Amino acid sequence: MRVQADRVSVTGPHGTLLSPTSLTVSGGELAIVHGEPGVGVTAFGLALAGRLKPATGTVTVEGGDPRQVVAVVDAPGVSEPDGALPLQLVVGEELELAKRPAGKAAVASWLAEHDVAAFATTRFENIEPITRTRLLTALAASRKGVEVLVLDTPDRHTSDVDGWTRIAREHAERGLAVIVLTATTPVSALPEKPALCGALEQPDPVRCAPVEPPAGPDDAEETEETEKTTGDQE
């Protein structure tokens, strides 16, 4: 799996939201993207997910439709949950979106599995920011077909950079392509050199999951020998 943005720009009613930006991230990799506070960084995430048409450039997602493969987590004004809703209702809505069982029992089971059953009736806005990010990211990752996660400015909720970085790395280690959009954290405080909105040359993403070596001639011979032995035994 690989998602590639090539010179993607986005315009709005009043001008440019995002200057041409390029980025390539593969499964098992983590990229941190930094932009100025505002709608531009979110516009980039929505363009990656096929939810916003670029004014210039292209987004290519290897092996699938961006709208099915890329999930944007907690985008302000788009996929950000209503903070007044209780946690159990937010989880139920997200499970429905993932086409998973979303009845009371299923929600209670999910909350218990993720160690937040005690907060079922707590308003979502009163849940600890890192916990909110953890839960929303897990819910997005559970959607069928999702292979790319875009975490939209988790730093707008908290200064705990290590917390949201750990969450992003965990999902990249499982083989997903993970992109974290940031805006309020100073570049010097980010854990890796970030890609920048408005730039075409970007640093390489961080590899979090092991790269599976391609099958070579020896592997093919071993497989063939195994199949032959199995056939002889039968």
Side-chain angles (χ1 to χ4, degrees):
M1 165 52 60
R2 182 175 67 176
V3 57
Q4 182 175 23
D6 183 17
R7 301 173 184 271
V8 167
S9 70
V10 178
T11 57
H14 305 294
T16 300
L17 301 179
L18 175 74
S19 299
T21 303
S22 295
L23 182 72
T24 301
V25 186
S26 299
E29 293 181 343
L30 166 63
I32 296 175
V33 179
H34 186 78
E36 294 298 319
V39 295
V41 68
T42 292
F44 184 51
L46 295 177
L48 291 174
R51 300 183 63 175
L52 199 59
K53 184 177 180 180
T56 63
T58 58
V59 174
T60 304
V61 176
E62 194 176 74
D65 180 345
R67 291 168 295 181
Q68 303 299 322
V69 175
V70 183
V72 181
V73 180
D74 198 27
V78 182
S79 60
E80 179 182 31
D82 183 343
L85 296 178
L87 174 61
Q88 60 188 3
L89 186 54
V90 170
V91 170
E93 290 179 346
E94 289 290 330
L95 289 175
E96 283 186 0
L97 184 62
K99 295 181 171 55
R100 298 178 58 192
K104 288 184 178 180
V107 170
S109 176
W110 195 94
L111 292 171
E113 180 184 347
H114 291 81
D115 302 319
V116 287
F119 304 103
T121 60
T122 302
R123 287 167 65 107
F124 193 69
E125 63 190 3
N126 293 332
I127 302 293
E128 183 185 21
I130 287 299
T131 300
R132 293 204 306 265
T133 297
R134 174 173 66 86
L135 299 178
L136 291 176
T137 305
L139 286 161
S142 73
R143 298 178 199 167
K144 184 178 179 180
V146 166
E147 296 188 54
V148 182
L149 293 174
V150 180
L151 280 62
D152 194 335
T153 54
D155 57 337
R156 75 184 188 275
H157 300 303
T158 177
S159 59
D160 183 2
V161 174
D162 291 340
W164 56 254
T165 300
R166 182 174 61 254
I167 293 166
R169 283 183 179 275
E170 287 173 355
H171 286 278
E173 287 168 357
R174 297 187 183 109
L176 298 178
V178 182
I179 300 163
V180 183
L181 307 178
T182 64
T184 58
T185 302
V187 169
S188 60
L190 293 172
E192 311 289 345
K193 183 178 180 180
L196 299 176
C197 287
L200 302 181
E201 299 293 330
Q202 308 284 19
D204 291 334
V206 177
R207 167 57 58 178
C208 298
V211 178
E212 294 186 4
D218 292 342
D219 296 319
E221 290 175 7
E222 183 178 344
T223 301
E224 185 177 323
E225 183 63 31
T226 301
E227 290 175 350
K228 180 179 178 181
T229 302
T230 303
D232 292 342
Q233 290 175 346
E234 294 175 350

